[in-house]
C-alpha cells in the first residue's frame, strides 16, 4: 500500500492485531495513510472501543510515543460446547479469556428442548453477573459431528439424534440477538490449543476423546473443515479384524474400541456405569481400568500415526475426559512414535490439551473474535 491508500478502519485493526502494539508513526508507515486520515480512522475506532492505548514506547530522545493496540477485551462472546454427556456455557472476551463458565452433565439422548433453554438462561445470568450484557458481540458454539455452514445446521452423531437437523445457528442467534459461529468440537479444541501455543504458523492437530472420538486440524491459522465439513472425523475409521458394534451401526470402528463409550462397556463387569466412573477408576490407578485405557490409547495411536504422516503437524494436543487421562495419552504417544513416518514423528510434540477442559471454549472465543474483528465486519459496524 503506497501513499493515497484507502486502508479502511477494519484494515487498521487487522494491522494492529497482526503486528501491534504500534505507534501512530509505525501505523502510518504500514498502512500508507495520510496523517489526517489515520487520525480520523483512529478516532472512529476508539469511539467504537476497537483500538486503545496500551502504554508508551521508550525513545532515546524527545517524547515517548504512545503505543496503540486492537482492543479485544471491550467486547465479549457467549461460548459453549454441546457434547453427548457434557454441556458447557460461558462468557469470554475476544482475546479468549474465559470470564465465566459452567458445565452440566446431561443424560445420554438429551434434546434441545431442555438443554438449549438452560444454555441461554445460564449465559444471560453470566452476562448480567459480569455486568457485560451490553458488550455481547457474538456467540460461538462447538458441537460434535459435521456442520452445514451454509444453513447453520449440525449433522450430529447418532448419540445425539434429537439435535439432528436442528437450525442450531438460528436458535442461538434468536436467543442472544448476535451472530453465531458454529464449529466442530475437535476443531474448536485444536483452535484453542493453536491460540494457547501463540498462533504458530505451523499445523496443529487436536484430538478429542470423550464419549466419542474426533480430530480437528488448524492449518495456516484456520480450522480445516474439508470439502463437506467432515475433515478429521476419524472416529469411524475401521480397524482391521475387529467387529465390535459401533453406535454408527457399523462394526470395528475405532470409536467402538477406544472411546469413553467403549471403555464404559468393557468395564461394565467391574461395576462401571458411565464415563465419570471410568475416569475415577483410572485416576485412582485401578489396574484393570488403567490397562484398558492404555490399550485404547495405543489403538487410537495407530490411527493417528496415519493422520500425522499425512499432515506432518508439529503439535498434537489431546483433550476430552478420556484423552486427558495420562495412561491413555502414554499409550497413544507410544504407538504414534513407533508407527508414524520417522521424519513426521521426530520432534513431534504430543501432549495433553494445555487448556484442558477449557480448550473448546477458548477456541470458540477465538473464532468469534475472528468473525467480529474481520475487516469487513468492522467496516460495517463503524459505518452503521
Ligand atoms: Zn462407527
Amino acid at each position: 500500500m503506497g501513499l493515497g491508500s484507502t486502508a479502511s478502519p477494519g484494515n487498521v485493526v487487522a494491522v494492529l492485531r497482526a503486528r501491534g502494539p504500534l505507534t501512530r508513526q509505525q501505523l502510518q508507515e504500514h498502512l500508507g495513510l495520510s496523517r489526517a486520515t489515520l487520525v480520523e480512522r483512529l478516532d472512529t475506532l476508539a469511539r467504537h472501543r476497537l483500538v486503545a492505548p496500551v502504554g508508551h514506547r521508550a525513545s532515546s530522545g524527545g517524547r515517548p510515543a504512545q503505543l496503540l493496540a486492537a482492543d479485544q477485551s471491550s467486547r465479549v462472546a457467549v461460548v459453549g460446547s454441546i457434547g453427548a454427556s457434557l454441556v458447557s456455557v460461558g462468557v469470554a472476551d475476544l482475546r479468549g479469556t474465559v470470564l465465566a463458565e459452567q458445565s452440566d452433565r446431561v443424560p445420554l439422548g438429551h434434546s434441545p428442548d431442555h438443554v438449549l433453554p438452560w444454555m441461554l438462561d445460564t449465559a444471560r445470568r453470566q452476562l448480567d453477573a459480569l455486568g457485560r450484557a451490553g458488550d455481547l458481540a457474538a456467540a460461538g458454539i462447538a458441537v460434535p459431528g459435521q456442520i452445514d455452514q451454509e444453513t447453520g445446521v449440525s449433522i450430529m452423531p447418532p448419540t445425539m439424534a434429537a439435535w439432528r437437523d436442528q437450525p442450531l445457528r438460528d436458535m442461538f442467534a434468536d436467543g442472544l440477538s448476535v451472530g453465531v459461529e458454529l464449529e466442530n468440537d475437535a476443531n474448536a479444541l485444536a483452535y484453542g490449543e493453536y491460540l494457547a501455543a501463540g498462533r504458530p504458523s505451523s499445523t496443529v492437530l487436536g484430538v478429542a476423546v470423550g464419549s466419542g472420538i474426533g480430530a480437528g486440524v488448524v492449518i495456516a491459522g484456520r480450522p480445516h473443515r474439508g470439502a463437506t465439513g467432515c475433515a478429521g472425523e476419524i472416529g469411524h475409521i475401521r480397524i482391521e479384524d475387529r467387529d465390535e458394534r459401533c453406535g454408527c451401526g457399523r462394526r470395528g470402528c475405532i470409536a467402538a474400541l477406544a472411546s469413553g463409550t467403549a471403555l464404559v462397556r468393557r468395564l461394565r463387569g467391574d461395576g462401571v456405569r458411565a464415563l465419570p466412573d471410568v475416569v475415577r477408576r483410572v485416576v485412582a490407578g485401578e489396574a484393570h481400568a488403567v490397562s484398558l485405557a492404555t490399550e485404547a490409547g495405543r489403538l487410537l495411536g495407530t490411527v493417528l500415526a496415519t493422520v500425522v504422516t499425512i499432515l506432518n503437524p508439529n503439535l498434537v494436543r489431546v483433550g476430552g475426559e478420556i484423552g486427558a487421562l495420562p495412561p491413555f495419552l502414554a499409550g497413544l504417544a507410544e504407538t504414534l512414535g513407533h508407527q508414524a513416518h520417522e521424519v513426521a514423528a521426530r520432534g513431534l510434540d504430543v501432549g495433553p490439551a494445555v487448556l484442558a477442559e477449557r480448550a473448546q471454549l477458548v477456541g470458540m472465543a477465538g473464532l468469534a473474535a475472528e468473525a467480529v474483528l474481520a475487516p469487513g465486519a468492522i467496516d460495517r459496524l463503524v459505518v452503521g
Side-chain angles (χ1 to χ4, degrees):
M1 270 177 274
L3 283 175
S5 157
T6 54
S8 71
N11 295 138
V12 176
V13 173
V15 167
L16 284 173
R17 289 185 78 208
R19 299 164 186 266
L22 297 172
T23 64
R24 281 180 176 75
Q25 178 70 38
Q26 289 171 320
L27 255 180
Q28 215 182 324
E29 283 159 15
H30 277 300
L31 292 161
L33 286 172
S34 73
R35 182 156 182 83
T37 311
L38 180 66
V39 166
E40 187 228 287
R41 295 270 192 277
L42 289 172
D43 276 353
T44 307
L45 291 168
R47 219 167 38 242
H48 284 89
R49 298 183 303 154
L50 287 160
V51 164
V54 290
H56 290 83
R57 194 181 63 165
S59 71
S60 44
R63 266 193 326 153
Q66 192 177 53
L67 284 166
L68 297 168
D71 187 349
Q72 302 189 97
S73 55
S74 64
R75 285 169 174 74
V76 297
V78 165
V79 288
S81 86
I82 307 171
S85 54
L86 197 67
V87 176
S88 302
V89 66
V91 175
D93 68 22
L94 298 187
R95 290 174 306 186
T97 307
V98 177
L99 306 169
E101 69 176 309
Q102 197 177 333
S103 294
D104 201 15
R105 211 159 269 293
V106 285
L108 285 174
H110 60 84
S111 79
D113 299 349
H114 295 100
V115 173
L116 192 75
W118 177 81
M119 289 183 84
L120 293 172
D121 287 348
T122 305
R124 289 192 199 103
R125 254 186 294 113
Q126 289 169 334
L127 286 165
D128 286 341
L130 292 163
R132 302 296 302 267
D135 298 335
L136 183 64
I141 309 294
V143 294
Q146 297 146 252
I147 293 147
D148 182 334
Q149 292 287 346
E150 291 279 305
T151 58
V153 169
S154 166
I155 302 142
M156 294 278 193
T159 45
M160 292 174 64
W163 289 82
R164 253 180 186 226
D165 302 325
Q166 297 288 327
L168 217 51
R169 189 164 56 206
D170 290 349
M171 288 152 85
F172 280 96
D174 290 348
L176 296 167
S177 304
V178 287
V180 178
E181 300 301 308
L182 297 179
E183 189 54 74
N184 169 267
D185 55 2
N187 270 351
L189 182 150
Y191 198 75
E193 292 294 310
Y194 157 81
L195 295 178
R199 297 176 177 265
S201 55
S202 45
T203 304
V204 178
L205 174 64
V207 183
V209 187
S211 304
I213 296 175
V217 197
V218 174
I219 301 173
R222 297 167 71 104
H224 176 75
R225 292 166 176 160
T228 55
C230 74
E233 286 289 350
I234 59 171
H236 304 284
I237 290 177
R238 211 181 119 73
I239 304 296
E240 197 77 37
D241 297 329
R242 302 295 295 257
D243 73 343
E244 281 84 347
R245 185 183 291 281
C246 180
C248 73
R250 301 198 300 176
R251 289 178 174 272
C253 297
I254 184 69
L257 302 163
S259 68
T261 309
L263 288 172
V264 169
R265 196 180 55 238
R266 299 190 68 183
L267 285 163
R268 196 148 276 161
D270 297 13
V272 161
R273 289 287 165 266
L275 204 63
D277 303 334
V278 177
V279 173
R280 252 192 310 276
R281 282 169 195 239
V282 174
V283 169
E286 215 172 275
H288 190 212
V290 168
S291 110
L292 286 180
T294 309
E295 192 192 314
R298 283 199 192 110
L299 208 50
L300 181 56
T302 63
V303 170
L304 290 178
T306 307
V307 176
V308 159
T309 304
I310 292 169
L311 292 174
N312 192 194
N314 60 347
L315 283 184
V316 177
R317 290 291 174 259
V318 187
E321 289 180 274
I322 298 297
L325 297 170
F328 184 92
L329 190 58
L332 185 154
E334 181 194 316
T335 40
L336 197 49
H338 288 148
Q339 295 182 14
H341 186 281
E342 196 190 329
V343 180
R346 193 184 302 149
L348 178 66
D349 181 344
V350 182
V354 299
L355 296 169
E357 63 275 6
R358 273 191 174 174
Q360 290 183 14
L361 296 188
V362 172
M364 290 319 304
L367 291 169
E370 291 305 311
V372 171
L373 302 175
I378 288 177
D379 292 344
R380 282 191 296 279
L381 178 80
V382 301
V383 166

